[in-house]
Structures are given as C-alpha cells and as structure tokens.
C-alpha cells in the first residue's frame, strides 16, 4: 500500500525521550533556588515543548525578564545533573530505524535549544537517523508553525503528506497551524483529554501503539 506521508516530524522531550519528569523537577528546583513561587507539576508540565522565553513566562510569571539568564543557569544546572539518567522510551530506536528504512524523511521539531538537542542526539545515538532538525532558538516557539513550514520546504513535502507526532498540545496546535496531520502520544507531558481536544488523527498510549498506527496508516 502506498505511503500516506512523506515527512514525519517528531517532538523530542516526552515523545522520544523520557525526560518530562526531569524537566518539571529542574524548573521547580531552579524556582526554589531563586526564591520564586514554585510552580505545580501541572504548571511545569504545561510549558514542556515551548521556547525558553514562553516557558518561563508561563511557569514562573513573577520572574522579571532581567532575571531570565539566572533562571536559565539554575535550570540547566539541575537538568544536566540528571540528563545522564534519561533514556529513550522503550522501542524508540527500533521504530526510528524501521521508519528510516521504509523511506520516510524523518525530522525533529523541539523546544530544546540547538546545543541541548545536539547533546541529546549524541547521547541517545539517534543523531544519524534524522534528516533534519529544528530548535526553539532557531525558530518561533511552538505552536507557531515555522518549524514545520521550514521542514516541509526543505523536503518539498506538502502539508497533506506531513505528519507531526508529539506529547503536548503545543505540538498538535503547531500541526493545526501548519495544516499537517498529527498524532498525540499520552505517555509524555499533557493528558489525553487535552490532546484529543485538538482532533489529531490518533492519540496513542505507547511507542508500540504508535508503530502499529504508522504501519497501518503511514
């Protein structure tokens, strides 16, 4: 059966790498270091996937902008102290290899910085499997469609033949804004009901279920 999609774009944190909890804890610890109101788990989870300025605005709204660099330094300190413990979700390497061998163009669109994504790609061993990547310090923050629009342009892929896969409403709203298809995954940062509200093609509960959907419909 002919493929429905040519380009598949993945979010990183909470979609490919099991890092959502570490991000939440790092945001909370950094807030505590700076004497700020510590955001709840829900508040901190909401900002996963956003660019840095948007994430800080939502997670720690009482933080003056002139203290953003201080917050970033403390966040990175806490996150990097744990990043050696982070792992890909089970089945991710095998699925990426399968999709690559099936002839899909594979890309990443992430709220991470370029430095952070390059580090994660190297540590995870997945760097060689993706044809292109876009980061939040290179583009507008999700849910602005710039990341997807640039990737579609790079691969001459139409919106109808592009699929975005992510664990947050920011990912799915970006797909809506770019006119592409989307799949939500429930094992990351945002709850299924929030993902369903954006009417993706599917909401799946695990990497195995994601792979099965792609084999049937991709």
């Amino acid at each position: 059966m002919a493929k429905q999609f040519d380009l598949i774009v993945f979010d990183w944190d909470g979609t490919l790498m099991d890092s959502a909890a570490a991000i939440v804890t790092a945001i909370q610890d950094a807030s505590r270091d700076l004497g700020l109101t510590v955001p709840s788990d829900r508040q901190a989870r909401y900002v996963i996937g956003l660019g840095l300025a948007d994430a800080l605005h939502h997670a720690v709204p009482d933080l003056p902008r002139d203290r953003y660099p201080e917050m970033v330094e403390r966040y990175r300190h806490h996150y990097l102290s744990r990043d050696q413990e982070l792992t890909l979700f089970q089945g991710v390497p095998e699925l990426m290899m399968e999709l690559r061998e099936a002839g899909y163009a594979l890309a990443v669109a992430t709220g991470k910085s370029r430095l952070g994504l390059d580090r994660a790609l190297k540590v995870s061993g997945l760097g060689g499997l993706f044809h292109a990547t876009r980061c939040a310090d290179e583009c507008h923050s999700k849910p602005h469609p710039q990341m997807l629009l640039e990737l579609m342009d790079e691969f001459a892929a139409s919106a109808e033949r592009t699929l975005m896969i992510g664990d947050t409403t920011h990912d799915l709203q970006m797909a809506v804004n770019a006119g592409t298809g989307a799949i939500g995954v429930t094992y990351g940062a945002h709850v299924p009901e929030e993902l369903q509200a954006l009417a993706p093609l599917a909401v799946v509960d695990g990497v195995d279920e994601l792979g099965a959907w792609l084999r049937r419909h991709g």
Side-chain angles (χ1 to χ4, degrees):
M1 183 168 58
K3 296 199 300 288
Q4 180 179 350
F5 301 104
D6 298 317
L7 171 62
I8 302 179
V9 184
F10 290 88
D11 170 59
W12 186 265
D13 290 306
T15 300
L16 299 180
M17 180 159 277
D18 188 4
S19 49
I23 293 171
V24 168
T25 301
I27 291 171
Q28 292 171 330
D29 287 348
S31 300
R32 200 171 286 113
D33 288 349
L34 271 60
L36 302 167
T37 301
V38 177
S40 67
D41 286 0
R42 181 177 177 83
Q43 287 173 300
R45 279 183 173 272
Y46 173 79
V47 307
I48 293 174
L50 294 176
L52 181 60
D54 286 349
L56 293 178
H57 173 72
H58 287 287
V60 283
D62 53 341
L63 176 66
R65 281 189 172 268
D66 61 3
R67 297 192 72 192
Y68 276 20
E70 190 179 355
M71 178 72 177
V72 170
E73 188 280 325
R74 296 315 299 161
Y75 168 80
R76 287 178 174 158
H77 167 79
H78 290 294
Y79 182 80
L80 292 175
S81 71
R82 300 179 180 91
D83 79 335
Q84 293 299 320
E85 305 166 11
L86 301 180
T87 59
L88 298 169
F89 288 105
Q90 186 172 358
V92 163
E94 295 81 3
L95 178 58
M96 297 303 103
M97 183 66 73
E98 179 182 342
L99 295 173
R100 174 88 181 214
E101 292 177 349
Y104 293 100
L106 301 180
V108 172
T110 177
K112 298 181 87 66
S113 66
R114 169 55 58 191
L115 182 64
L117 179 62
D118 286 350
R119 177 185 174 90
L121 288 170
K122 181 177 180 180
V123 170
S124 69
L126 292 189
L129 295 180
F130 293 102
H131 299 90
T133 59
R134 291 295 187 279
C135 298
D137 55 354
E138 302 166 337
C139 299
H140 289 296
S141 176
K142 300 173 185 178
H144 191 284
Q146 183 183 1
M147 292 188 197
L148 282 178
L149 294 176
E150 287 191 3
L151 289 166
M152 288 190 295
D153 184 62
E154 182 170 342
F155 293 100
S158 67
E160 293 77 15
R161 296 190 64 81
T162 299
L163 181 66
M164 177 68 206
I165 300 173
D167 67 308
T168 72
T169 55
H170 315 306
D171 300 312
L172 303 191
Q173 186 63 57
M174 178 173 66
V176 170
N177 293 343
T180 73
I183 296 178
V185 302
T186 65
Y187 49 80
H190 290 185
V191 300
E193 294 77 15
E194 294 171 335
L195 302 175
Q196 289 281 14
L198 287 162
L201 297 173
V203 173
V204 300
D205 295 327
V207 175
D208 288 346
E209 189 175 336
L210 174 60
W213 191 96
L214 291 170
R215 291 181 201 103
R216 289 195 306 270
H217 305 289

